[in-house]
Amino acid sequence: MKVDVKSRAEIDRMREACRMSAEIRDICAAAVAPGVTTGEIDALVVDYCEKHHVRAGFYDYHGYPGHLCVSINDEVIHGIPSPHRVIVPGDLVKTDVGIFKNGFNGDTSRTVAVGVTDPEVLRLVETTKACLKAGIAACGPGVHLGDVGYAIEQVAVAAGFGVVRNWIGHGVGRTIHEDPEVPNYGKPGTKLVLRPGMTIAIEPMITMTKAGEATDVLSDGWTVVTRDRSLSAHFEHTVAITDDGCEILTLPADYP
Ligand code: MF3
Ligand code: CO
Ligand code: CO
């Protein structure tokens, strides 16, 4: 395992890609509404990239055909945008997007509940957000990745939800996916020790049911779904380890 440790100057460059990733993430999330197609969300990313002279990091990554991933309901991650997929009331829509600029990538995702009133579904969304917060709160120099995964898993388990096992967070930087692996579960005191300058994507994928922890890939070769077709939520931030903790690189610009 070769984990890239970035200089302060490199983190500064990556901060820009991450700031833009956060901006387009929130543009996409705000556009999610009944009647909108996921293809229209994809077009927003294309427009943003043209306007700002940047690249959509996911496009053509291992042949991926979209400019972001839009995954709905039982789709966990890697949903391919399509002009035929119309968002309807009650949908749980995950918009996952990354911008490539100055040699670096961002990677960030949000879940939007479209006209959802079922309190269990809303609790799933809030719990997934809390999982991401707990993972980030655990991060810092000297911390093991097992500690981070454990912190995330505890929040999900306490709420009675499942944690996807075979898709995980990852190092991110010059490439979208790099070492180390960042699972959303773990054992304290195990795995890699974090150091200042490491940049990782933390991305809990939490499922309504325990059986939903197991996933399949659809015949399109990309879309990951829960095996029992239960709902899944997903939040993701790109985070840099600092001398005294960590910095979330994909916060919205107006975050207080
Ligand atoms: N955003 C995904 C992640 O969080 C990676 C998407 S790459 C793609 O790891 F090719 F599937 F789009
Ligand atoms: Co992502
Ligand atoms: Co990611």
Side-chain angles (χ1 to χ4, degrees), residues 133-197:
K133 274 201 164 170
I136 292 168
C139 279
V143 170
H144 290 261
L145 279 173
D147 305 334
V148 176
Y150 179 79
I152 294 168
E153 186 180 17
Q154 288 315 296
V155 173
V157 168
F161 295 129
V163 178
V164 169
R165 317 298 294 188
N166 50 345
W167 293 89
I168 56 179
H170 50 90
V172 55
R174 295 186 186 278
T175 56
I176 296 170
H177 291 153
E178 53 193 47
D179 286 335
E181 296 188 336
V182 183
N184 299 302
Y185 48 87
K187 230 175 99 188
T190 65
K191 301 294 173 80
L192 179 87
V193 176
L194 292 170
R195 299 278 171 233

Side-chain angles (χ1 to χ4, degrees), residues 60 95 163 171:
D60 209 25
T95 54
V163 178

